[in-house]
Amino acid sequence: MKIFGIDLGTTYSCIAFVNEYGAAEVVPNAESQTTTPSVVAFEEGGTVSVGDAAKETLNTDPDNVCSTIKRQMGKRDFTFYAFDQEYTPEAISAIILKKIAKDAGEALGEEVKDVVITCPAYFGLEEREATKKAGIAAGLNVLAILNEPTAAAISYGIKTEEPQTVMVYDLGGGTFDVTIIKVENNSIRVVATGGDHMMGGKDWDEKISSYVIEQSCQANGESVDSVYADNELMGDLELKSEKAKKQLSQKDSVKVKFNGETVEISRSQFDQFTSDLLESTITKTHETMLEAEKKGVDHYDKILLVGGSTRMPQVDARLKQEFPNIPVEFCDPDQSVAKGAAMYGLNMAAFAEFSEKDNNGDGPTITKEEQEELRRNVFFGTGSQAKPITIKNVISQCIAVKLICEDNKEHIVNQIFKNTEIPCEHVLHAGTHQANQTTVAIEIFENASTDEYVNEDLCKALVDGELGPLPAGLPAGAPIDVVFKIDENGLLSIDAEHKPSGAVKHLEVNLQNALSKEELQEEIAKVNALHI
Ligand code: ADP
Ligand code: MG
């Protein structure tokens, strides 16, 4: 019985489990690689390829290749279109998960079923829900959605008696994620999270591409615009630029052959023309540290480097220069997240409460005997000392509501701010607007602002609903308390209470962008019809 950790990355994904010696181990894919490019390529007749094979088709058939789907998770308006079929971000992610799970299952001779999937700490409610549904659509039993930096910290083996404050600097392929966590007594708590989810190694690749285009066009006189307009040429360059970047982590200079020319790039040139990107990660890091400072963090024991892009020598060097007093350590950049997720999954299974539903898909499919065996071997204290790891979390986005304010205009007002520890509760003292009002319209938004009043453009609508019926015959301005609760899984529930009468109404929070049961079934059918 194995539980798997899956790092479903923007550009690369990875799967791991804990072996019989208690060590987390990555399972290579069918191509013998430890990480699989999160790229899906559709072919005529319902065949899809995932990984390197899909990535290679970028220069032959770029229109049927889907990459960086993680950036679209939780978005309703995005579908990928290939061969007369539309695929949601959940379906594309499910295809990636299926490939990874299938390969791992074949390598180990055992089906991959129970999994913990990771997501960035900044993912909001809908992105988490979409990630879980992708797992379900891939036929997996999703035990938990775990934050990537928390998984990295678990894998790093922070099980110290001494409380520690750790900053996880995760520069991946498509995202930059900085998270400040506190570790003590087997508990891992996210204190603050920030970063830029539209920046990552791909941006470094693009800088190389621009440089190569500029230099090659200068040499052969071709117009820069015509090169940019050529999809196949650009797809080819995308692959070459990434390869060149990786080589520059080892060598002082590389040569890129492109469009009949050879362009040489030295590491110092590369560092120079990408320095604005690196600087922006430093700025974001300081912003997040400031948030943590407000919550009492005044020193750091360690900076953990996670994510494939931290292999670029410029990252380590710049962080050491910026924070000379904090030790900077590499944390198995490509594998720590998957490994930590596997360790967490096993720990969860070892300490799971048994109930009927555990064997019906809501918990690990594990027998009591297996559980006892696990506890004997489990890390974080052995034998009778074995303890569950407790994960404490914060919400990564603000929760706001639309209100008619004193100026008689509608405003979106933040109620619960990002980085608030969950579970949490917040009461908004509001009132009815008109006499005899029987319902209250309620619109809920998510945003990353730090202000109380937020511009609608910066918000993502989560819920557009109604609270009611209210007691009959209320005057205008009748006091209504709206209670926002967020549970430990980040799920939001809302109650409205008319204080004088004690009438309470509960609002089902149906996320606008989540797939319904029926829609999920449709996506499952589409995914199952494909030959992966
Ligand atoms: P994500 O989780 O966002 O998918 P990863 O953590 O797997 O990303 O990192 C992938 C990124 O790391 C890619 O942009 C890849 O090019 C980059 N990368 C991997 N190895 C190296 C290396 N040796 N030098 C520089 N960049 C690297
Ligand atoms: Mg990652």
Side-chain angles (χ1 to χ4, degrees), residues 117-123 128 145-152 179 190 337 391-394:
I117 305 177
T118 59
C119 76
Y122 64 75
F123 257 22
R128 282 169 203 267
I145 300 293
L146 180 67
N147 284 335
E148 287 159 9
T150 305
T179 315
V190 173
V337 171
I391 308 288
K392 291 185 182 151
N393 218 338
V394 292

Side-chain angles (χ1 to χ4, degrees), residues 338-480:
K339 285 181 177 174
M343 291 163 85
Y344 178 66
L346 191 63
N347 192 283
M348 243 182 105
F351 294 97
E353 292 290 326
F354 267 102
S355 70
E356 282 298 309
K357 72 173 189 211
D358 278 341
N359 289 318
N360 286 333
D362 280 329
T365 42
I366 172 179
T367 66
K368 268 206 154 107
E369 293 71 36
E370 285 173 323
Q371 190 175 38
E372 267 163 34
E373 181 65 33
L374 280 182
R375 273 198 210 184
R376 276 196 288 277
N377 299 323
V378 102
F379 25 77
F380 285 88
T382 44
S384 59
Q385 246 121 72
K387 279 191 218 148
I389 314 171
T390 326
I391 308 288
K392 291 185 182 151
N393 218 338
V394 292
I395 53 161
S396 51
Q397 306 272 323
C398 303
I399 302 288
V401 62
K402 195 178 261 181
L403 292 173
I404 300 171
C405 295
E406 276 158 13
D407 60 3
N408 244 330
K409 288 190 184 128
E410 286 186 332
H411 294 281
I412 296 177
V413 188
N414 269 328
Q415 300 298 312
I416 304 178
F417 284 88
K418 68 174 185 181
N419 292 327
T420 301
E421 192 163 310
I422 51 178
C424 68
E425 190 176 308
H426 172 80
V427 184
L428 164 71
H429 302 291
T432 52
H433 191 57
Q434 292 161 339
N436 299 316
Q437 213 172 303
T438 53
T439 58
V440 186
I442 184 154
E443 279 182 71
I444 309 280
F445 301 85
E446 228 175 25
N447 65 82
S449 167
T450 45
D451 303 327
E452 189 173 357
Y453 292 86
V454 203
N455 191 316
E456 188 153 357
D457 299 342
L458 300 175
C459 290
K460 183 173 175 192
L462 282 186
V463 178
D464 186 356
E466 244 180 22
L467 278 169
L470 298 172
L474 293 180
I480 305 284

Side-chain angles (χ1 to χ4, degrees), residues 7-14 35-36 38 55 70 148 170-176 199-205 241-250 270 306-313 333-335 337:
D7 171 3
L8 182 59
T10 312
T11 56
Y12 287 86
S13 297
C14 182
T35 59
T36 303
S38 308
K55 212 169 164 178
K70 192 170 173 178
E148 287 159 9
D170 179 353
L171 188 58
T175 52
F176 169 58
M199 172 155 93
K202 273 194 166 280
D203 298 289
W204 273 258
D205 302 349
S241 295
E242 189 189 2
K243 278 187 193 135
K245 175 190 70 177
K246 288 185 181 172
Q247 285 171 352
L248 280 172
S249 296
Q250 313 287 325
F270 172 65
V306 181
S309 299
T310 60
R311 288 233 163 82
M312 295 186 292
D334 319 286
Q335 305 189 352
V337 171

Side-chain angles (χ1 to χ4, degrees), residues 301-305 315-316 319-320 323 326-330:
D301 295 288
K302 205 162 280 156
I303 297 178
L304 285 187
L305 297 186
V315 173
D316 175 57
L319 283 169
K320 283 181 174 147
F323 306 108
I326 313 175
V328 180
E329 288 181 40
F330 280 94

Side-chain angles (χ1 to χ4, degrees), residues 170-183:
D170 179 353
L171 188 58
T175 52
F176 169 58
D177 203 353
V178 52
T179 315
I180 293 156
I181 55 181
K182 279 204 151 181
V183 188

